[in-house]
Amino acid sequence: MSQTNMRKTAISAIARNVVTGGKIDYCSKPIKEVFGEHVFNEEQRRQRLPKNVYKVLQKTIQAGEELDPSIADAVAVAMKDWAIEHGATHYTHWFQPMTGLTAEKHDSFLSPTPEGGAIAEFSGKELVRGEPDASSFPSGGLRATFEARGYTAWDPSSPAFILDNPNGATLVIPTMFVSWTGDALDKKTPLLRSIEALNKQALRVLKLFNNPAKRVCTTVGAEQEYFLIDKNFFFARPDLLTCGRTLLGAKPPKGQELEDQYFGSIPDRVLAIMAEMEYELMRLGVPIKTRHNEVAPGQYEIAPIFEEANLASDHQMLVMEVLRKSANKYGMTCLMHEKPFAGINGSGKHNNWSMCTDTGENLLNPGDTPHANAQFLVFCSAVCRAVFMHGALLRLSVSSASNDHRLGANEAPPAIISIYLGEQLSDIFHQLETGKPKSSRNGGDIEIGLTMLPKIPRDAGDRNRTSPFAFTGNKFEFRAVGSSQSIAGPNTVLNTIVAESLDYIADRLEAMMKTGDDINAALQKLMPEMVREFKPILFDGDNYTVEWQEEAKRRGLPNLSNSVDGIVQATTKDSLSLFTKYKVYSKRELHSRQDILLENYSKAINIEALTLAMMCRTMVLPAAVRWQKDFAGALTAMKSAGIESPAQVKTLDKLSKTIAEFIESVEALDDIVAHQPHDGVLEHAKYQRDVVLPAMGATRVLADKLELMVDDGYWPLPTYREMLFIR
Ligand code: ADP
Ligand code: MG
């Protein structure tokens, strides 16, 4: 065997690997000092800003208002001085274009002086507005090329921070990215708008309860699942390198069936990565809380403590970035793809979501008093009604070519959106529906009207891992979110649909209370009616069963099994009227987003198809043919020695037939990829879904069959067994 085998080289390189590290020392600097040391946080602002400037800025941040331009210069100077003390040479406006990633363009603080020297400068104008020449980001037709520029605008509610690089540091300023015509070109702007919409409607409802809250924000804690594999394997697999997932690979003899990995002890190298990543995130003020092994081999999870949604969303982008960088430092690659390995659990992002007042009251926390419980039930109902009315938009918010491989397979929630409330809460809602709640199943025999609801314990009921949207005691957990996606989109949808339900509730209650009802009387009328309406969305059973699919159909719940069907929800009548009513997305923005999502879907699959065909032709086929030649040679030798071996003839025959089928299949795939339709983004996406994906699947089956027939010494691609278990 003369040519080098990438796979064999990778394995020997990994075997020689030793974990090095030891850079982090929490003894000399305790964890509480590390936390937030790279953030221009409240403490820094208080220390460094003139008192009046500090006050105005804090007010801006807390109220989510626009910045008073007169203080911008003072803030910029303080920020710059702080950044330079931390070794920063550059600043960047950091934004989240429609690629779903973050983008940045660095500018130096340095300005040359006429005397030939230089000074460090950073003005309020530069802080507040930036003009990246960012005309190449997808805009879905929002920007004609002649006005291709968008600008970035500072988001004071997310603090600036410092990102280290091996040779310096950069001051990073979180910003929105909008076009000159005011269209949102990013994911942050709609999120901020949706937070505002929810705040407004939630306050209306709270007012009816005489709640003194002045502001309601959404809180989000996103658990991130990911895979780590050795970089040597990663580089030896063109599919992982180009597409983030394996496009072929036979099922390993041992997968995850033993479940011996979940919460198991964490390998040293992985632990070193986790610790380094947590250290970096801690410095950036991201409150990382838990780490553990996940169910699949090589799969892990990291979870922060929840924060206000906008900050949580920015921090989540940082989590993904730091994860990738930290893994790299220890010779591993972090796979953030929703389904890197077929037949093995995929990765998601559990989006924990609730609403919280400025007085610190979690509105989804069952209270201790009947009054608090009534308020809880109203907010909980608002969420249920929202998901019932707009489940299709939640499905839209998690649509991508990659998430389709995960939803509905191996432990991931299905594409049908339903809500799991847990036994006790379901029971209460069931009783509410009949108008006269009498008892709580676990709470004993108490007489209850809406004025005297049972005490609902936290964490009531079992967790139902199969549910895409579950109540978990004091928050909802949206589990269909994909591991590689930004959480901004799903939370924008969640905030807006719940805002709409709160708006509806406020309208109804206000009307009844105007004509003399008190809050309890009004609720007695409204609640049963609402529960009857949204009841079909509630499902506590096993979401994986065929029975549920049938039942969901009977209930009229949408089953958008693929992302093309999900994406087109962006421009339905419901979507257009909802998002424009609450000024979260304009009509133009929705159409542009739909186009971008469809294009991304098609591009992702097209790249995969090209990669798969290339790997089949240049890696799989040569290995198979080489083995075929060896085998045939052996048969010829045997024959000339006068030995008959029908079994071997049969094996060679089987191999040859599989190779022939494989060649045909790759040719068919090539042909399909070469003949794409050109009649619009939607048709193009449907073609990928209906024609390209099945062709890829058929080719893969044959490639995987060959992997189990061909001499292991010839096989060039790291196998599932190796990638998942050698670390
Ligand atoms: P698990 O779901 O694994 O039992 P936890 O219940 O502790 O774990 O929390 C999971 C995630 O939910 C964490 O990120 C946590 O911060 C977040 N979370 C907890 N309470 C809230 C809340 N009120 N709003 C949003 N997220 C929350
Ligand atoms: Mg959880």
Side-chain angles (χ1 to χ4, degrees):
M1 199 179 75
S2 58
Q3 80 288 348
T4 54
N5 183 318
M6 288 274 285
R7 172 177 158 236
K8 293 283 152 82
T9 321
I11 295 173
S12 21
I14 298 163
R16 287 194 302 272
N17 221 325
V18 274
V19 182
T20 51
K23 153 187 165 231
I24 303 166
D25 172 16
Y26 285 113
C27 291
S28 54
K29 195 173 217 176
I31 192 163
K32 66 179 198 308
E33 281 175 40
V34 172
F35 187 80
E37 67 173 344
H38 273 182
V39 185
F40 193 66
N41 54 20
E42 215 220 295
E43 195 187 323
Q44 293 300 332
R45 293 194 290 265
R46 187 162 13 98
Q47 280 174 19
R48 289 170 181 266
L49 290 170
K51 213 172 187 158
N52 58 327
V53 174
Y54 167 74
K55 271 195 190 149
V56 176
L57 182 60
Q58 284 308 108
K59 205 177 141 254
T60 306
I61 293 170
Q62 275 150 17
E65 284 166 2
E66 278 206 17
L67 186 81
D68 176 351
S70 68
I71 66 161
D73 275 325
V75 178
V77 168
M79 223 185 243
K80 177 204 68 185
D81 290 345
W82 170 79
I84 287 177
E85 279 167 36
H86 283 79
T89 55
H90 289 65
Y91 69 92
T92 181
H93 275 200
W94 185 70
F95 57 104
Q96 296 163 34
M98 293 302 298
T99 54
L101 306 170
T102 57
E104 51 198 81
K105 176 189 165 212
H106 297 200
D107 283 297
S108 171
F109 283 126
L110 223 57
S111 285
T113 61
E115 296 78 38
I119 50 164
E121 268 186 340
F122 185 51
S123 69
K125 222 177 91 201
E126 287 164 309
L127 165 65
V128 172
R129 178 170 287 200
E131 232 184 287
D133 187 18
S135 51
S136 299
F137 287 113
S139 75
L142 274 183
R143 294 176 297 162
T145 31
F146 62 86
E147 50 160 23
R149 285 182 164 211
Y151 68 88
T152 50
W154 182 33
D155 165 20
S157 59
S158 181
F161 54 90
I162 283 173
L163 269 189
D164 275 335
N165 64 54
N167 289 315
T170 306
L171 170 67
V172 183
I173 301 154
T175 60
M176 292 163 271
F177 183 40
V178 283
S179 78
W180 288 107
T181 46
D183 293 312
L185 297 172
D186 67 347
K187 299 204 167 228
K188 184 193 262 282
T189 308
L191 176 62
L192 287 169
R193 293 172 183 162
S194 73
I195 290 169
E196 204 37 58
L198 184 126
N199 169 51
K200 201 170 145 195
Q201 302 306 332
L203 284 180
R204 281 179 66 203
V205 173
L206 285 178
K207 205 168 150 214
L208 304 176
F209 281 93
N210 285 323
N211 191 305
K214 290 199 175 60
R215 196 169 166 81
V216 173
C217 70
T218 8
T219 50
V220 172
E223 305 161 56
Q224 169 82 50
E225 291 174 334
Y226 59 96
F227 280 85
L228 289 174
I229 66 159
D230 195 280
K231 225 198 281 191
N232 290 288
F233 286 145
F234 178 74
F235 288 139
R237 297 265 333 195
D239 47 2
L240 282 179
L241 192 63
T242 314
C243 313
R245 74 172 178 114
T246 54
L247 300 170
L248 43 84
K251 195 174 174 307
K254 174 180 186 254
Q256 62 189 47
E257 52 280 275
L258 294 179
E259 297 186 337
D260 49 359
Q261 139 98 5
Y262 191 49
F263 279 39
S265 75
I266 303 172
D268 265 0
R269 187 147 62 122
V270 172
L271 200 51
I273 292 169
M274 288 175 167
E276 169 132 357
M277 154 181 89
E278 286 164 11
Y279 177 77
E280 290 305 329
L281 287 169
M282 213 99 74
R283 297 173 95 184
L284 294 169
V286 183
I288 293 303
K289 184 79 178 164
T290 49
R291 48 161 102 133
H292 62 79
N293 280 4
E294 261 303 326
V295 176
Q299 192 188 29
Y300 310 93
E301 181 185 297
I302 175 171
I305 296 172
F306 68 93
E307 298 177 283
E308 180 279 315
N310 177 39
L311 196 57
S313 169
D314 283 359
H315 280 171
Q316 223 291 307
M317 298 309 287
L318 285 177
V319 166
M320 290 197 281
E321 199 166 317
V322 173
L323 245 169
R324 285 197 189 95
K325 281 189 186 161
S326 308
N328 226 8
K329 280 193 195 160
Y330 291 87
M332 295 193 97
T333 298
C334 176
L335 303 176
M336 218 80 75
H337 194 284
E338 282 75 4
K339 197 76 175 176
F341 305 101
I344 303 272
N345 276 11
S347 301
K349 198 144 21 200
H350 292 177
N351 191 85
N352 294 275
W353 183 97
S354 188
M355 295 164 275
C356 187
T357 66
D358 55 340
T359 53
E361 184 180 359
N362 177 357
L363 295 174
L364 291 177
N365 201 3
D368 292 331
T369 63
H371 183 78
N373 263 335
Q375 184 187 292
F376 158 74
L377 284 174
V378 166
F379 278 88
C380 192
S381 301
V383 179
C384 295
R385 181 182 175 278
V387 177
F388 171 68
M389 307 268 295
H390 309 289
L393 297 178
L394 283 176
R395 175 64 181 92
L396 155 69
S397 78
V398 298
S399 288
S400 72
S402 49
N403 208 15
D404 275 5
H405 296 290
R406 163 181 171 260
L407 292 179
N410 300 81
E411 298 277 310
I416 305 167
I417 306 284
S418 68
I419 296 183
Y420 167 79
L421 284 180
E423 196 186 348
Q424 196 182 13
L425 201 51
S426 294
D427 185 45
I428 289 168
F429 273 117
H430 181 72
Q431 294 185 51
L432 274 175
E433 182 197 349
T434 59
K436 282 257 174 298
K438 280 280 185 291
S439 72
S440 121
R441 190 164 287 179
N442 303 327
D445 252 357
I446 18 172
E447 181 73 17
I448 41 164
L450 260 175
T451 45
M452 243 186 29
L453 282 165
K455 232 175 121 168
I456 304 162
R458 262 200 70 177
D459 274 347
D462 284 320
R463 302 283 171 95
N464 181 337
R465 308 302 301 181
T466 69
S467 175
F469 204 94
F471 182 71
T472 49
N474 59 356
K475 62 188 189 283
F476 278 96
E477 186 169 329
F478 183 27
R479 303 194 180 117
V481 183
S483 52
S484 70
Q485 78 172 108
S486 152
I487 58 166
N491 286 301
T492 301
V493 171
L494 257 172
N495 292 342
T496 313
I497 63 178
V498 175
E500 194 262 343
S501 275
L502 290 169
D503 185 3
Y504 168 84
I505 291 170
D507 278 354
R508 294 286 309 271
L509 292 178
E510 280 166 4
M512 285 189 259
M513 288 166 81
K514 221 174 253 164
T515 56
D517 282 343
D518 68 359
I519 180 82
N520 290 321
L523 285 174
Q524 298 275 15
K525 288 178 194 159
L526 179 62
M527 290 299 282
E529 189 190 315
M530 263 177 64
V531 178
R532 266 196 298 277
E533 189 190 5
F534 68 62
K535 198 175 61 172
I537 200 73
L538 305 180
F539 180 63
D540 281 4
D542 183 349
N543 281 255
Y544 293 158
T545 59
V546 187
E547 288 78 21
W548 168 232
Q549 288 189 16
E550 285 158 7
E551 168 67 17
K553 198 169 170 187
R554 269 194 296 279
R555 294 188 188 184
L557 300 179
N559 181 2
L560 304 169
S561 65
N562 65 85
S563 283
V564 177
D565 291 348
I567 293 167
V568 296
Q569 302 302 316
T571 53
T572 56
K573 229 170 94 194
D574 176 46
S575 171
L576 292 171
S577 75
L578 173 84
F579 288 117
T580 53
K581 179 170 182 194
Y582 296 97
K583 299 191 165 50
V584 171
Y585 294 111
S586 70
K587 229 173 177 165
R588 268 153 55 91
E589 287 168 346
L590 285 168
H591 279 282
S592 83
R593 270 155 183 78
Q594 174 162 313
D595 282 358
I596 292 169
L597 288 170
L598 287 171
E599 268 172 30
N600 287 349
Y601 178 89
S602 296
K603 281 179 190 162
I605 294 174
N606 189 48
I607 292 169
E608 286 184 351
L610 291 170
T611 307
L612 176 62
M614 180 267 288
M615 289 171 75
C616 287
R617 260 184 274 106
T618 64
M619 301 176 99
V620 175
L621 186 61
V625 170
R626 212 172 298 136
W627 173 233
Q628 185 186 33
K629 185 174 157 230
D630 282 4
F631 209 113
L635 273 187
T636 316
M638 282 164 68
K639 209 170 184 180
S640 55
I643 306 170
E644 289 288 329
S645 174
Q648 270 158 289
V649 173
K650 219 168 123 191
T651 304
L652 179 62
D653 189 50
K654 213 166 128 194
L655 176 68
S656 302
K657 279 190 180 130
T658 310
I659 291 176
E661 271 179 70
F662 175 68
I663 292 173
E664 270 171 35
S665 162
V666 178
E667 276 172 3
L669 179 62
D670 279 338
D671 197 50
I672 281 167
V673 174
H675 293 92
Q676 308 267 348
H678 295 288
D679 42 3
V681 279
L682 180 57
E683 288 316 307
H684 199 208
K686 284 184 179 165
Y687 183 79
Q688 311 304 316
R689 178 194 66 188
D690 300 334
V691 184
V692 181
L693 274 179
M696 287 172 64
T699 303
R700 180 194 179 134
V701 169
L702 293 164
D704 292 354
K705 202 166 157 192
L706 286 173
E707 182 184 326
L708 299 178
M709 296 172 120
V710 169
D711 180 352
D712 184 70
Y714 286 156
W715 199 256
L717 293 161
T719 63
Y720 270 33
R721 147 176 70 86
E722 292 156 350
M723 287 185 286
L724 293 168
F725 292 101
I726 301 182
R727 24 174 198 264

